Amino acid sequence: MIQRPRRLRGNAVLRKMVRETRVDKSSLVYPIFVREGENIREEIPTMPGQYRYSVDQMPFKLEALKRAGVGRVIFFGIPDKKDEMGSGAYDEDGIVQKALREARKQFGMDLYLITDVCMCEYTSHGHCGLLCGHEVDNDPTLLLLAKTALSHAQAGADMVAPSDMMDGRVLAIRNELDQNHFTNVPIMSYAVKYASGFYGPFRDAAGSAPAFGDRKSYQMDFHNRKEGIKEALTDVEEGADILIVKPALAYQDMIREVSDRVEIPVAAYSVSGEYAMVKAGAKLGYIEEERMIAEMAVGSFRAGASVYLTYFAEKIAGLMDQGIIG
Ligand code: PBG
């Protein structure tokens, strides 16, 4: 007898009925860049369609997201001043802290507010931690990361997402939050984060490229699989609530493997370079933008992610409304 899997593909109603991967708007997280200043909405040159917003302009974007059904955002701050200690990261009046208070004031609990916890946007040298000579000094950095996470929680963050890749930071942040009665604030840790060329446009957007050297002493070598599993398991042990795999597109194997290995949700971060590639290809007429966006998103969910961080969040919500994804 001929096996006939094609029988299930014959018509659209049937195809939809047996679909294995379903996408829901509640799984989407939109990364937003907030900066100092007033009345600013400036396009990021390497990420057409993405902007840096001053705190007074940010609510217009948040409103559009909410209307589209994207109710979860992750904040990245662009401070005016940077210093050796990255003090803007944990300043009560830092840019992210101000953005959080404003978002909470205007949207109440209608939006779920996540923050990226890292030093690289705030340090004059652009590294993700304190320096000792030309090396990042892991343990003293933990104190500042914990302080940053606490200041975000105090300003209204619903969840914190450490992206620095220092060893032991999930535990340090968990302890700091717990001791200050933020036991209910979850940690979404960038556990499996590779040193990647895909972050290029983000570093333009945030002005966070390292002034010297690279991030290879703390972000992972893209040739390695086991190292990623180890990072994931360590973060689970330290108390992470959700694990991020990043980037997404070239790392779908890691999304699958990590989600098979851990008992907590996995998030995939489709990073700035993925966005830039699609936009550039579409602009040149080489690819069909919407189909690429759809396949990239569904690919990550199919690989096992239950959360998808993407600059295309609003676009994807629109594609879902049209039935192109769903
Ligand atoms: C901060 C951070 C980065 C990204 C998220 N958090 C940049 C980096 O590690 O260099 C990248 C996000 C993107 O490329 O969209 N450490």
Side-chain angles (χ1 to χ4, degrees):
M1 190 180 76
I2 304 177
Q3 294 291 322
R4 296 199 185 273
R6 285 181 51 198
R7 257 200 295 263
L8 292 180
R9 298 178 211 139
N11 73 61
V13 174
L14 190 52
R15 267 200 307 278
K16 185 87 188 274
M17 186 170 89
V18 297
R19 197 169 257 181
E20 295 174 50
T21 306
R22 311 260 175 187
V23 182
D24 192 284
K25 289 181 185 176
S26 60
S27 296
L28 301 173
V29 178
Y30 179 71
I32 187 164
F33 296 98
V34 286
R35 53 158 294 166
E36 294 285 356
E38 265 173 45
N39 209 15
I40 299 169
R41 175 182 175 272
E42 59 184 0
E43 192 166 33
I44 300 159
T46 48
M47 299 177 74
Q50 299 301 312
Y51 300 82
R52 306 183 191 97
Y53 299 93
S54 53
V55 173
D56 59 326
Q57 292 298 307
M58 167 196 78
F60 299 110
K61 180 64 182 178
L62 295 180
E63 181 62 36
L65 288 161
K66 193 183 122 182
R67 235 179 295 127
V70 178
R72 291 138 189 92
V73 285
I74 179 164
F75 289 88
F76 291 92
I78 305 164
D80 258 354
K81 293 187 216 73
K82 305 185 186 225
D83 58 33
E84 289 269 302
M85 303 287 288
S87 57
Y90 41 89
D91 183 345
E92 194 188 323
D93 274 315
I95 180 64
V96 166
Q97 290 81 353
K98 284 191 285 197
L100 285 166
R101 286 194 292 266
E102 185 63 22
R104 187 63 77 210
K105 192 171 100 195
Q106 299 217 11
F107 295 91
M109 301 311 278
D110 287 351
L111 291 178
Y112 191 81
L113 312 176
I114 308 168
T115 57
D116 185 82
V117 174
C118 195
M119 309 294 295
C120 64
E121 294 116 274
Y122 304 92
T123 51
S124 41
H125 43 75
H127 280 284
C128 300
L130 293 179
L131 293 184
C132 180
H134 270 193
E135 294 285 317
V136 172
D137 207 354
N138 191 92
D139 296 8
T141 301
L142 298 180
L143 298 173
L144 298 186
L145 292 166
K147 214 167 146 177
T148 303
L150 177 61
S151 77
H152 290 172
Q154 285 167 336
D158 292 303
M159 175 153 82
V160 293
S163 69
D164 51 280
M165 289 300 277
M166 298 302 123
D167 294 334
R169 87 262 204 233
V170 173
L171 184 62
I173 290 172
R174 187 69 272 158
N175 285 338
E176 184 79 2
L177 292 174
D178 289 353
Q179 280 158 19
N180 290 280
H181 312 293
F182 289 105
T183 46
N184 289 333
V185 172
I187 299 175
M188 176 163 72
S189 123
Y190 291 75
V192 187
K193 177 170 175 181
Y194 287 91
S196 172
F198 282 98
Y199 308 149
F202 174 94
R203 292 178 189 173
D204 283 345
S208 64
F212 62 86
D214 53 39
R215 303 206 202 292
K216 289 182 183 157
S217 70
Y218 41 101
Q219 298 181 354
M220 285 189 300
D221 180 345
F222 64 89
H223 299 79
N224 294 347
R225 195 186 113 254
K226 284 189 200 167
E227 192 186 357
I229 305 293
K230 164 89 178 144
E231 286 279 0
L233 298 177
T234 303
D235 281 11
V236 171
E237 239 170 68
E238 288 184 24
D241 299 283
I242 302 174
L243 300 181
I244 300 180
V245 175
K246 172 178 170 205
L249 189 57
Y251 300 85
Q252 304 268 299
D253 60 322
M254 296 309 296
I255 300 173
R256 164 52 60 206
E257 194 154 354
V258 170
S259 65
D260 282 348
R261 290 281 289 269
V262 301
E263 308 304 330
I264 62 174
V266 172
Y269 193 148
S270 178
V271 300
S272 56
E274 300 178 39
Y275 178 88
M277 266 185 344
V278 172
K279 291 310 263 189
K283 190 174 171 196
L284 286 167
Y286 291 173
I287 54 151
E288 287 178 63
E289 178 172 348
E290 294 189 346
R291 296 186 66 186
M292 306 285 283
I293 296 170
E295 287 173 46
M296 283 163 68
V298 171
S300 285
F301 288 114
R302 198 181 59 237
S306 31
V307 177
Y308 190 52
L309 297 94
T310 173
Y311 302 94
F312 285 121
E314 208 177 324
K315 179 81 186 169
I316 290 170
L319 295 178
M320 290 169 69
D321 291 340
Q322 294 167 50
I324 294 172
I325 309 181

